Amino acid sequence: DWVIVTRQLTRQYDMGGEIVRALRGVDLAIRRNEYVAIMGPSGSGKSTLMNLIGCLDTPNGGEYWLNGMLVSTMSDDQLARVRNKEIGFVFQTFNLLPRASALQNVELPLVYAGVSAEERKKRATEALERVQLGQRMHHRPNELSGGQRQRVAIARALVNRPSILLADEPTGNLDSQTSSEIMRVFDELSREGQTVVMVTHEPDIAANARRVVVLRDGVIASDERRNQFVERV
Ligand code: ADP
Ligand code: ADP
């Protein structure tokens, strides 16, 4: 039940002759239902690793298996197909359509996937209920709190039933109480079997995950599991 397996993953950028080695050999294996925070100082390679895990970019070396599929050698078209099916993205800025209701926002990925209107509504409603927003489905983003907006974005990321929920600084725009509400949502989702991978530079946020991977200079400096969910307010 390994969802993510990387072996000696490397990524470098050529800046007009000067090579920047952003990842220098990352070995990482993540199982289904893990809840992992990726931490590290600015420039340590978090975004680069996130882009590779999220099938937005391909490595220069090493291998990446996603659900047993070797994705590190896929073409851009194949990669896009895998990304749409397997990855649900959550961002710091919620990226919701301002004039659309919560339900319409969550339905959007299913519109692109060609799912029927009836089925879309059913699945979007289920996704909103999973993040405890069943009572706010017809509200627009500006009628919702920051935490509720991020929960709409999480529901949207989940509606295609991706194997990985990938969150990039998901609490960057939220106060600490609202952040811990979002961390609680991730914790519950992971306990229901959803793989959650979150990038954050905030130790207090990372402490909510059950596993913390720290990057330094493009390699994994530490990788620790914890069992207890710590309520932080
Ligand atoms: P983090 O997300 O931890 O801040 P990044 O993955 O963004 O780290 O960056 C790792 C290193 O790679 C840094 O030195 C950064 O400047 C460099 N880098 C990242 N993306 C690019 C890019 N597209 N082109 C050139 N250098 C990059
Ligand atoms: P974060 O705040 O998530 O660490 P960054 O500010 O490091 O992100 O990078 C934002 C975007 O710019 C990313 O897509 C990254 O790949 C790119 N990037 C980072 N450093 C460089 C760089 N030196 N040259 C070009 N692009 C870069």
Side-chain angles (χ1 to χ4, degrees):
D1 59 348
W2 297 104
V3 176
I4 294 170
V5 176
T6 77
R7 200 190 65 84
Q8 284 299 302
L9 210 57
T10 62
R11 180 71 170 97
Q12 58 195 38
Y13 302 100
D14 188 343
M15 299 292 284
E18 199 206 327
I19 303 296
V20 178
R21 292 152 143 306
L23 292 182
R24 300 184 296 128
V26 169
D27 294 302
L28 182 63
I30 298 176
R31 288 178 198 274
R32 189 170 171 269
N33 84 23
E34 281 200 278
Y35 174 14
V36 183
I38 296 175
M39 279 202 65
S42 182
S44 59
K46 301 185 298 296
S47 305
T48 301
L49 181 58
M50 186 82 167
N51 290 343
L52 292 174
I53 290 175
C55 298
L56 292 160
D57 187 22
T58 41
N60 296 101
E63 283 111 41
Y64 172 24
W65 286 269
L66 170 52
N67 282 325
M69 293 178 287
L70 183 62
V71 297
S72 44
T73 54
M74 282 185 181
S75 69
D76 289 350
D77 282 357
Q78 289 173 306
L79 203 60
R81 225 167 294 133
V82 171
R83 178 172 67 240
N84 290 333
K85 187 162 173 292
E86 309 284 345
I87 316 284
F89 292 97
V90 173
F91 307 97
Q92 176 171 351
T93 55
F94 319 122
N95 296 355
L96 300 174
L97 296 179
R99 308 187 66 118
S101 69
L103 187 65
Q104 289 167 331
N105 269 285
V106 176
E107 279 188 40
L108 205 58
L110 300 176
V111 175
Y112 297 135
V115 175
S116 74
E118 192 188 354
E119 179 71 11
R120 285 201 308 260
K121 186 166 183 196
K122 179 169 163 280
R123 282 166 58 178
T125 302
E126 278 169 14
L128 283 161
E129 283 167 353
R130 273 180 88 185
V131 298
Q132 263 89 61
L133 273 185
Q135 310 304 312
R136 296 277 188 282
M137 292 198 299
H138 301 292
H139 289 58
R140 290 182 184 182
N142 67 4
E143 299 165 327
L144 297 171
S145 69
Q148 290 170 340
R149 288 180 205 179
Q150 190 59 300
R151 282 190 277 149
V152 174
I154 294 167
R156 181 186 53 191
L158 291 173
V159 78
N160 268 332
R161 299 176 185 138
S163 41
I164 308 171
L165 185 67
L166 204 52
D168 191 1
E169 302 282 358
T171 61
N173 278 326
L174 302 174
D175 62 45
S176 65
Q177 190 171 339
T178 310
S179 297
S180 83
E181 165 195 321
I182 296 301
M183 294 302 99
R184 170 63 85 180
V185 171
F186 287 165
D187 188 69
E188 282 168 4
L189 290 170
S190 67
R191 288 176 195 280
E192 291 163 12
Q194 176 68 55
T195 309
V196 179
V197 180
M198 152 176 91
V199 169
T200 180
H201 66 271
E202 296 179 69
D204 285 356
I205 295 299
N208 292 289
R210 290 202 303 285
R211 178 175 171 192
V212 179
V213 173
V214 179
L215 286 179
R216 214 172 296 280
D217 295 330
V219 293
I220 294 178
S222 68
D223 183 351
E224 287 178 21
R225 284 190 171 78
R226 335 152 167 225
N227 296 312
Q228 288 296 307
F229 177 73
V230 185
E231 188 81 61
R232 290 174 175 260
V233 181

